[in-house]
C-alpha cells in the first residue's frame, strides 16, 4: 500500500482516536471491502441524483405548459399582466431544464468513473478529507 495512503488513513484514524495496526492480516481486506462499499454508495447517490434531474425535466415541461397557458390568456386580453407571467415562467423553465440536464450529465460521468476507475473516486475522497484536516 502506498505510503501516502497510509499517512492519510493514519491522520484520519488519529482524528477519530483510533489506532490501526498495519501489520495485522485483516486490515487490507477490510480496507478493500470499505473502498468497495464507498464506490457502491457513490453509484447509488448518483442514481438518486439522476432521478432528481429527471424530475426537474418533468417540472420544466410542466412550467412550459403553464407558460403557454399564460401566453394564450395574454393574447386574449392585451391589457393584462400575463405577459410578465409568461416571461417569468419561461425563465424558470429554462433554469430548471438546464439544471436537470447538468445534474444528469454530471452524475452520469460520476457513475462511469465509478465503474471504470473506482480508485479515482477513492483518491479524490481521501484528498478532500485530508485537505479538510489541515
Amino acid at each position: 500500500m502506498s505510503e501516502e495512503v497510509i499517512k492519510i488513513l493514519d491522520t484520519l484514524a488519529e482524528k477519530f482516536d483510533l489506532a490501526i495496526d498495519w501489520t495485522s492480516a485483516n486490515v487490507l481486506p477490510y480496507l478493500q471491502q470499505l473502498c468497495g462499499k464507498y464506490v457502491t454508495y457513490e453509484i447509488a447517490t448518483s442514481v438518486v441524483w439522476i432521478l432528481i434531474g429527471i424530475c426537474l425535466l418533468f417540472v420544466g415541461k410542466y412550467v412550459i405548459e403553464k407558460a403557454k397557458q399564460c401566453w394564450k390568456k395574454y393574447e386574449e386580453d392585451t391589457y393584462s399582466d400575463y405577459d410578465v407571467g409568461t416571461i417569468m415562467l419561461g425563465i424558470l423553465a429554462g433554469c430548471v431544464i438546464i439544471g436537470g440536464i447538468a445534474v444528469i450529465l454530471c452524475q452520469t460521468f460520476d457513475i462511469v468513473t465509478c465503474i471504470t476507475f473506482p480508485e479515482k473516486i477513492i483518491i479524490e475522497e481521501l484528498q478532500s478529507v485530508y485537505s479538510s484536516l489541515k
Side-chain angles (χ1 to χ4, degrees):
M1 189 180 306
S2 172
E3 288 296 321
E4 291 84 18
V5 173
I6 291 174
K7 186 190 295 185
I8 292 171
L9 292 174
D10 280 337
T11 305
L12 289 173
E14 287 174 14
K15 195 73 169 170
F16 296 111
D17 292 331
L18 298 173
I20 298 175
D21 180 18
W22 295 105
T23 59
S24 177
N26 61 354
V27 170
L28 191 58
Y30 175 71
L31 284 176
Q32 289 172 339
Q33 181 184 15
L34 188 63
C35 290
K37 285 182 178 183
Y38 181 74
V39 170
T40 304
Y41 166 78
E42 192 68 33
I43 291 172
T45 56
S46 293
V47 168
V48 169
W49 277 108
I50 286 175
L51 292 175
I52 291 172
I54 291 170
C55 288
L56 286 174
L57 294 178
F58 284 116
V59 168
K61 183 179 183 269
Y62 175 77
V63 172
I64 287 173
E65 291 171 4
K66 289 297 179 184
K68 287 179 183 179
Q69 289 175 0
C70 281
W71 184 252
K72 286 180 185 177
K73 287 182 181 180
Y74 172 71
E75 287 179 337
E76 292 172 2
D77 184 17
T78 56
Y79 297 109
S80 66
D81 290 333
Y82 284 108
D83 58 339
V84 175
T86 303
I87 292 170
M88 296 304 243
L89 287 174
I91 292 171
L92 177 65
C95 291
V96 168
I97 290 172
I98 289 172
I101 291 171
V103 166
I104 291 170
L105 287 176
C106 183
Q107 297 305 317
T108 301
F109 286 119
D110 198 22
I111 289 174
V112 169
T113 303
C114 285
I115 292 171
T116 58
F117 192 47
E119 295 86 5
K120 180 180 177 188
I121 300 294
I122 302 297
I123 290 170
E124 288 174 353
E125 182 64 24
L126 288 175
Q127 286 174 341
S128 69
V129 169
Y130 185 70
S131 66
S132 69
L133 292 177
K134 287 185 176 180

